Amino acid sequence: MKRGGSFLRIIIGLGIVIFGVVKFCSSAEENPYIGETQYVDLSAEEEMALGEESTPAMIQQYGGLHPDEAEQRKIRKIGQKLVQNSIANASPYEYEFYLLADAKTINAFALPGGPVFITYALYSKLESEDQLAGILGHEIGHVIGRHSAERIAKQGFTNSVITGVAVGSGSQEASQAAAVIGNLVNMKYGRGDELESDNLGVKIMIDAGYNPEEMLGVMQILKESAGPNSTPEFQSTHPDPENRMEKIREAIEQHQ
Ligand SMILES: [Zn+2]
């Protein structure tokens, strides 16, 4: 009898565990571009809507778009070349590339669903088109990897994010939408997401005909510019450039 009782308790305990696992896995989705199972509860359309809605606020936060239209065109051209010649082309996302006027903050980031940004402060430090391709490739990696959507799901933000976007488009409670957008941008990716984006970035560079070794030069620039102006996307949340360089070298061997 005693034995039977503990057996029953084990069965009930297992049942509870299985219920929890099933509940968590119900939002699991296979990401075909990175070959991984992910936990996201935003659709690709919702990701794109969120990115599009948040774009004007992001541009404003970094001092507007850089006024040099020729430079904007150059960034768009390189960005689209990366998209069209890589796995990004098979994804449902609409990639846009923007040069932000901010000349002090060294930063580059992507919003869910496709918008990619680089500040003039970082852009002006780059030594080659390949280095720019490396940064844009890394950001495209965050989009394909659905890293923002994963983070939103993990933090239980999905509903407030969707509400914020809906409210934002009605332009009534703009402050609520702004708070949601602020959260989104300050949301830090994990170290694993960063290394995954470096790896994807290297692959995207190679597929589009760029020299992936130049990504190491980008790391050098980031390392040298670390300081009081260290940035949310490229420094404080990113693994140490030294450590990234080692993984980037591995990625180059893996994809070449
Ligand atoms: Zn990143």
Side-chain angles (χ1 to χ4, degrees):
M1 270 322 274
K2 211 177 162 193
R3 225 177 148 188
S6 62
F7 182 68
L8 191 62
R9 273 198 300 277
I10 289 169
I11 293 295
I12 291 169
L14 270 179
I16 291 168
V17 169
I18 289 168
F19 178 75
V21 169
V22 167
K23 207 175 154 217
F24 183 64
C25 289
S26 62
S27 64
E29 229 176 276
E30 166 88 14
N31 184 324
Y33 313 106
I34 57 172
E36 253 173 38
T37 301
Q38 297 186 305
Y39 300 95
V40 287
D41 37 22
L42 287 174
S43 66
E45 288 71 28
E46 283 167 338
E47 285 180 272
M48 286 189 275
L50 186 57
E52 205 183 312
E53 287 286 338
S54 314
T55 293
M58 283 302 98
I59 291 173
Q60 205 179 6
Q61 190 173 320
Y62 286 88
L65 288 177
H66 194 276
D68 191 331
E69 191 44 46
E71 299 296 327
Q72 295 285 358
R73 262 201 306 276
K74 188 176 155 194
I75 289 174
R76 279 201 296 271
K77 199 178 133 210
I78 295 166
Q80 293 306 338
K81 185 175 164 189
L82 290 165
V83 169
Q84 277 154 24
N85 293 288
S86 71
I87 42 168
N89 205 26
S91 74
Y93 303 116
E94 282 163 20
Y95 299 89
E96 305 280 348
F97 300 89
Y98 301 98
L99 178 60
L100 300 167
D102 192 325
K104 286 194 179 129
T105 317
I106 293 182
N107 206 0
F109 55 92
L111 290 174
V116 170
F117 305 83
I118 179 169
T119 61
Y120 186 72
L122 177 54
Y123 181 71
S124 61
K125 285 192 183 293
L126 301 179
E127 297 145 348
S128 66
E129 187 176 316
D130 297 77
Q131 288 186 348
L132 177 61
I135 290 171
L136 300 181
H138 171 98
E139 297 306 329
I140 292 170
H142 280 308
V143 175
I144 299 179
R146 307 186 77 185
H147 295 155
S148 293
E150 268 188 305
R151 225 117 274 268
I152 289 166
K154 247 178 226 163
Q155 303 192 3
F157 272 172
T158 307
N159 287 337
S160 60
V161 160
I162 291 173
T163 309
V165 168
V167 168
S169 48
S171 78
Q172 275 192 321
E173 286 182 53
S175 62
Q176 193 193 335
V180 170
I181 291 159
N183 273 336
L184 186 72
V185 168
N186 294 326
M187 206 177 284
K188 297 173 198 287
Y189 299 119
R191 183 191 147 80
D193 288 348
E194 292 309 335
L195 296 177
E196 182 172 88
S197 286
D198 281 344
N199 190 292
L200 284 166
V202 164
K203 179 161 175 37
I204 291 167
M205 283 179 92
I206 293 172
D207 290 344
Y210 287 105
N211 176 9
E213 301 276 339
E214 290 287 306
M215 192 63 171
L216 298 168
V218 172
M219 293 301 120
Q220 199 59 40
I221 290 168
L222 293 177
K223 202 175 136 189
E224 282 160 13
S225 54
N229 280 337
S230 69
T231 69
E233 224 290 285
F234 255 98
Q235 277 154 13
S236 62
T237 66
H238 279 66
D240 175 37
E242 271 319 328
N243 187 299
R244 289 176 72 187
M245 279 170 151
E246 203 183 301
K247 298 278 178 195
I248 287 166
R249 283 195 198 96
E250 285 172 23
I252 293 171
E253 289 214 356
Q254 180 193 344
H255 296 301
Q256 235 169 7

